[in-house]
Amino acid sequence: CTALPCEHYAYCISCSRCAWSLGYSSTGRPRRTDPRALGGDAMVNIPKTKRTYCKRCNKHSVHKVTQYKTGKASLYAQGKRRYDRKQSGFGGQTKPIFRKKAKTTKKIVLRLSCTDPECKAVHLHPIKRCKHFEIGGDKKGKSTSLF
C-alpha cells in the first residue's frame, strides 16, 4: 500500500498490493497457486445419516448418506450411436480426444435416500472438491490432556 498501515487493516484485500501478498487475486478471490485456495489435503468426513428436508414427505426426516457413482454408459444413447456411426469405416479418428486434463479431483456428490418406509425418495447433493473423502469415519474429538 502507499500508506504503510493501510486505511482498513494492516493488510487489506481491497488494494492489489496487499491482496497479492496475502494470496488473493485482484478480484478478491484466492489465487490458484496459493495452497490455501486449493483446500489442502484435509480429509472430508460425512456422517452416515443426515436429518434434512424431503420434498416427497414435505418435512425434515432422517436420510441415509452414500456416495453417488456414475453408472455404466449405455451403448444405445444417442451420442454414443452417433459417435459409433461416424467412427465406422475408413478415415481414422473423427472427433477430438480430450488429453489436457487440468483437475486433479472430482466434485463429490452425496446420494441422500429418505429412511421413511413409505417414501424412500432419493436426491443428490453435490459438495465441493476434495482429495480424501469418507462416510462415517471417526469423529475428531477433543484431545485428551496429559494432566
Side-chain angles (χ1 to χ4, degrees), residues 23-136:
Y24 287 89
S25 66
S26 57
T27 57
R29 293 194 184 99
R31 284 202 317 262
R32 285 183 185 267
T33 54
D34 186 27
R36 292 173 292 182
L38 301 175
D41 291 331
M43 169 72 81
V44 176
N45 188 7
I46 304 266
K48 286 185 178 179
T49 57
K50 182 181 181 180
R51 188 173 157 78
T52 187
Y53 181 74
C54 177
K55 286 182 186 174
R56 199 157 157 197
C57 297
N58 197 25
K59 62 181 182 184
H60 272 69
S61 59
V62 177
H63 286 67
K64 192 172 80 174
V65 180
T66 53
Q67 188 177 357
Y68 169 77
K69 299 275 189 188
T70 312
K72 187 181 174 187
S74 171
L75 290 171
Y76 305 109
Q78 178 60 63
K80 178 68 175 156
R81 284 183 281 147
R82 186 184 294 122
Y83 178 75
D84 289 342
R85 172 84 185 188
K86 194 170 184 180
Q87 283 290 96
S88 65
F90 299 108
Q93 182 67 35
T94 58
K95 292 185 79 64
I97 299 171
F98 183 69
R99 288 196 176 94
K100 294 184 177 178
K101 189 167 179 269
K103 300 279 188 278
T104 57
T105 57
K106 290 192 173 188
K107 287 184 181 177
I108 304 295
V109 180
L110 301 179
R111 186 175 179 271
L112 302 171
S113 53
C114 186
T115 54
D116 192 39
E118 350 13 289
C119 181
K120 303 272 186 185
V122 174
H123 66 271
L124 304 176
H125 181 241
I127 58 174
K128 291 186 178 179
R129 296 175 182 276
C130 61
K131 289 192 176 178
H132 306 289
F133 172 78
E134 69 177 327
I135 294 176

